[in-house]
Amino acid sequence: MTDTAKQIEGRTGPWEMVLGLEVHAQVASNAKLFSGAAVGFGAGPNQQVSLVDAAMPGMLPVINKHCVEQAVKTGLGLKAQINLKSIFDRKNYFFPDLPQGYQISQFKDPVVGEGEVIVERDDGSTFAVRIERLHLEQDAGKSLHDQDPNFTYVDLNRAGTALMEIVSRPDMRSPEDAAAYVKKLRTILVYLGTCDGDMEKGNLRADVNVSVCRPGAYEKFRETGSFSHLGTRCEIKNVNSYRFIQQAIEYEARRQIEILEDGGKIDQETRLFDPTKGETRSMRSKEDAHEYRYFPDPDLLPLEIDPAWVKAIEASLPELPDAKKARLQSQYGLSAYDAGVLITEQARADYYEAAAKGRDAKLVANWVTNELAAKLTAGGLDIEDSPLKPDAIAELVALIEEGVISSKIAKDVFERMWAGEGRPREIVEKAGLQQVSDTGALEKIIDDLIAANAGQAAAVKEKPQAIGWFVGQVMKATGGKANPGTVNQLLKAKLGL
Ligand code: ADP
Ligand code: MG
C-alpha cells in the first residue's frame, strides 16, 4: 500500500495523506423518504412539499419501501452486510432549511454494514476500499440567499428527499485514488439504478476527510486498527466534482503539513472548498457525534427486513461492473485496462458488445475506447447519442480485418464517417481508399511476377496490349482488391513501357 501513497516533501521530511470519504447519494425515487411528496428537479419553489416535509404539528413519517429497497440493492452492489434490523434516529442540529429541527438518519444501526469497492486506476491497476456502512437519511431543503437583498428564502422541495450516506474506511492515499473511488462508486450506483449519479445537480456529492501522517504510520494503523497512529482529520463538505475532490485534498493536505511543521496542531473541523480560489476554509469546528444528541425516532418503529425479500432483490440485480469486467476479459480476451474502461458506463459496454460480435474484439475495443471516445468527449455526447452506431464501427473493423484498408487509412475513413459521408465500405469505394494502393506491397508482387515470367515480360515490351495478363495476375494475387490504376502505372514503369 505504501507504494501508492502520495508523498509530499515538507521542510521537515516526507508526509503522506490519509483519506476517507462520506458520499451522499440521492436515492432514485419518485417520492421522499417519509412522505408521498414528489421528488424532481426543476419544480417551482415549495411545490413538492407535503405537510410531513413542512413538519406541521401532528404529522407522522411513513417509511417509503422503495427507498429501503434501493438502499438494500446498493448494499448488495457494495458486497455489504444487509442488516435485517436497523433504527432511525433523530440527529438534532439547527438546520435552517429542515423545519423539523432534526434530521431523521441512522446512527448506531444502519441498514447496510461493511462492504467493499474495487477501484480501477488510470494505469489499469486496482485497489480495494472498505465500506464501513451505508445508512438512509433525509436531505435538507435549500436556503436561497440571492432572491432578495434583505431576506433569505427557503425552498423545501428537497427537504425529506432520501439520501444514502456511504461511509468509507480511510483507505485512500492520494487525490487520484479518492476521485477514482467516487467514479467507481458512481458507476455501481448507476448500474443498480439506485442513484442517477448526476454530480452537477448535487445528486452525488462527497464529504472528504483528510489527515496527514509520517510514512509508516498508516501501516501501523492498518495493523492495529488504532486511529491513534493517524493525524487529526478535517472534513471538507459537499464536494461535487472529481476535479474539485482532488484540488480540495491537495490543498488541505498541504495546509495541514504547513501547520504541523510550524509546530501547530490540527483542529478537527468541517471545512468548505472554494472552487474559484482552490482553497478550503473553516466552516465550523466539528461536532462530535454526542453533540447531535442522537436518539431513536419515537415516531418510527425499527426497520425490519425479511431475508426472503433481500434474496429476491439480490436475484433481480443486473450484471454489475466487476462481473461485467471479468466477463469482457474472458469472453473477448481483453486486457484488464480495456475492460475497465468499457465498463465505466453500462451503455458503453453494451455498445462495445454490439460492435464486437464476430469481429476482432481487441481491435473493436481500441476503436471504441480511443477514436470514438475522443470524438464523443469533444462533442459533449453520451455514447447513447453517438451518431455512429455499433454496426458502423463493426463494418470499419471488418474492412481492416479483411485487409481492404490499413489501420492508418481506417483513421481517415473514421473521420469521414464522423463527418457523415456514409457507411465505411461506401466511403472506401468512393474515395478509392483500398489498401492495395499502398504501392510497396504491389511493387513486391509485380517484381516477383516479372522475375518468374521473364518470357511474358519480354513479350509485353513487343506487344504492350499484353500487359493485361500481368494486371490479371496482380489482381489474383491481391484477391481482387488492387487498385487497377496503380497496378497499371507500376507495371508500365517496371516493364519499361
Ligand atoms: P462523521 O459523521 O463525524 O463525519 P463518520 O464516521 O460518518 O464521522 O465518517 C468519518 C469519515 O472520516 C470516514 O469516512 C472515515 O474513514 C474518515 N476518517 C476517520 N479518521 C480519519 C483520519 N484520521 N484521516 C482521514 N480520514 C479519516
Ligand atoms: Mg458522517
Side-chain angles (χ1 to χ4, degrees):
M1 223 159 287
T2 354
D3 54 333
T4 56
K6 174 166 177 156
Q7 290 215 344
I8 295 179
E9 204 49 47
R11 272 188 285 112
T12 60
W15 294 88
E16 290 180 357
M17 53 180 79
V18 176
L19 311 164
L21 268 60
E22 299 160 81
V23 170
H24 287 92
Q26 185 178 316
V27 175
S29 164
N30 291 328
K32 295 185 181 179
L33 184 53
F34 297 111
S35 85
V39 174
F41 198 75
N46 296 309
Q47 286 184 347
Q48 298 179 333
V49 187
S50 76
L51 296 173
V52 176
D53 309 322
M56 288 297 160
M59 293 299 118
L60 292 174
V62 178
I63 185 79
N64 177 342
K65 186 174 178 185
H66 177 67
C67 292
V68 178
E69 181 175 346
Q70 295 288 58
V72 169
K73 246 190 203 172
T74 306
L76 293 168
L78 302 179
K79 300 182 208 102
Q81 164 81 33
I82 305 299
N83 294 328
L84 297 178
K85 184 173 173 189
S86 65
I87 312 268
F88 285 104
D89 297 286
R90 291 185 179 180
K91 181 179 183 180
N92 295 282
Y93 180 70
F94 176 69
F95 297 95
D97 31 32
L98 193 61
Q100 285 161 179
Y102 55 83
Q103 176 193 35
I104 305 178
S105 180
Q106 299 188 302
F107 181 49
K108 275 210 203 77
D109 302 283
V111 62
V112 175
E114 293 183 346
E116 185 183 67
V117 175
I118 303 296
V119 184
E120 280 77 19
R121 294 198 181 91
D122 281 347
D123 66 3
S125 64
T126 59
F127 64 100
V129 173
R130 294 168 301 160
I131 300 298
E132 189 178 316
R133 57 191 276 146
L134 175 156
H135 63 255
L136 279 167
E137 64 183 25
Q138 301 176 299
D139 205 348
K142 256 185 208 152
S143 298
L144 309 173
H145 305 292
D146 56 358
Q147 306 288 305
D148 187 282
N150 300 313
F151 295 99
T152 290
Y153 289 168
V154 176
D155 177 6
L156 293 180
N157 283 352
R158 210 179 56 187
T161 298
L163 295 179
M164 298 180 280
E165 178 171 332
I166 303 166
V167 182
S168 86
R169 301 273 181 198
D171 286 359
M172 287 144 284
R173 312 298 316 282
S174 71
E176 295 76 21
D177 279 3
Y181 162 70
V182 178
K183 248 182 226 175
K184 183 59 181 286
L185 195 57
R186 179 184 179 279
T187 298
I188 295 171
L189 298 180
V190 173
Y191 267 62
L192 288 165
T194 56
C195 171
D196 72 9
D198 193 333
M199 295 179 81
E200 268 169 40
K201 286 187 192 147
N203 294 352
L204 188 77
R205 48 194 199 258
D207 297 347
V208 185
N209 294 272
V210 182
S211 69
V212 296
C213 62
R214 293 296 191 181
Y218 183 74
E219 286 69 20
K220 287 214 185 84
F221 158 70
R222 289 300 291 258
E223 271 162 37
T224 61
S226 165
F227 280 84
S228 66
H229 295 290
L230 300 182
T232 304
R233 71 184 157 111
C234 287
E235 177 188 33
I236 309 156
K237 273 272 171 217
N238 284 332
V239 196
N240 70 344
S241 87
Y242 303 126
R243 193 158 61 89
F244 293 161
I245 288 172
Q246 296 182 59
Q247 285 176 354
I249 291 170
E250 189 75 35
Y251 177 88
E252 180 59 20
R254 288 178 189 278
R255 186 188 73 85
Q256 293 182 12
I257 290 170
E258 216 163 284
I259 292 175
L260 292 170
E261 294 203 321
D262 286 342
K265 72 180 225 336
I266 307 301
D267 295 323
Q268 185 174 330
E269 59 181 1
T270 299
R271 300 179 67 84
L272 282 179
F273 178 66
D274 180 341
T276 49
K277 291 207 184 103
E279 295 173 2
T280 65
R281 66 185 148 78
S282 183
M283 183 176 151
R284 57 170 189 251
S285 73
K286 176 79 192 187
E287 302 75 9
D288 274 323
H290 61 83
E291 286 167 37
Y292 288 122
R293 293 168 15 90
Y294 278 101
F295 61 86
D297 191 314
D299 290 340
L300 289 159
L301 288 169
L303 178 64
E304 289 187 29
I305 295 176
D306 180 356
W309 189 50
V310 177
K311 281 245 155 26
I313 294 172
E314 190 161 22
S316 76
L317 293 182
E319 182 182 35
L320 292 174
D322 290 340
K324 201 184 275 291
K325 182 179 170 192
R327 183 174 61 76
L328 291 185
Q329 284 181 256
S330 66
Q331 188 174 336
Y332 300 96
L334 296 181
S335 65
Y337 175 78
D338 280 343
V341 172
L342 288 169
I343 55 108
T344 52
E345 288 164 80
Q346 208 157 13
R348 194 191 302 207
D350 291 348
Y351 186 104
Y352 168 73
E353 291 204 79
K357 211 167 274 157
R359 299 267 71 87
D360 180 331
K362 170 73 188 151
L363 210 48
V364 174
N366 288 345
W367 281 93
V368 173
T369 57
N370 298 328
E371 270 75 12
L372 181 68
K375 287 281 186 220
L376 293 171
T377 307
L381 290 170
D382 290 330
I383 200 156
E384 296 96 312
D385 306 321
S386 170
L388 297 179
K389 301 300 168 204
D391 60 333
I393 297 295
E395 190 175 314
L396 181 67
V397 169
L399 289 171
I400 302 170
E401 281 184 70
E402 291 163 16
V404 176
I405 52 173
S406 63
S407 300
K408 195 162 151 266
I409 293 204
K411 296 212 163 120
D412 177 28
V413 176
F414 179 77
E415 288 296 330
R416 293 167 185 250
M417 288 160 67
W418 188 263
E421 287 182 29
R423 307 279 311 178
R425 243 174 238 287
E426 220 179 300
I427 292 170
V428 167
E429 271 157 34
K430 263 203 225 142
L433 292 170
Q434 288 85 345
Q435 163 118 296
V436 272
S437 15
D438 286 358
T439 50
L442 291 175
E443 272 185 79
K444 168 94 175 62
I445 294 170
I446 290 168
D447 287 342
D448 291 351
L449 272 173
I450 292 173
N453 301 281
Q456 293 276 4
V460 174
K461 282 185 186 153
E462 303 291 328
K463 205 172 139 213
Q465 307 94 289
I467 198 173
W469 182 85
F470 277 102
V471 175
Q473 292 301 308
V474 177
M475 284 304 187
K476 219 165 143 190
T478 58
K481 285 168 205 147
N483 182 327
T486 317
V487 173
N488 265 300
Q489 246 176 4
L490 285 172
L491 276 172
K492 279 183 186 153
K494 300 264 179 196
L495 293 167
L497 295 180

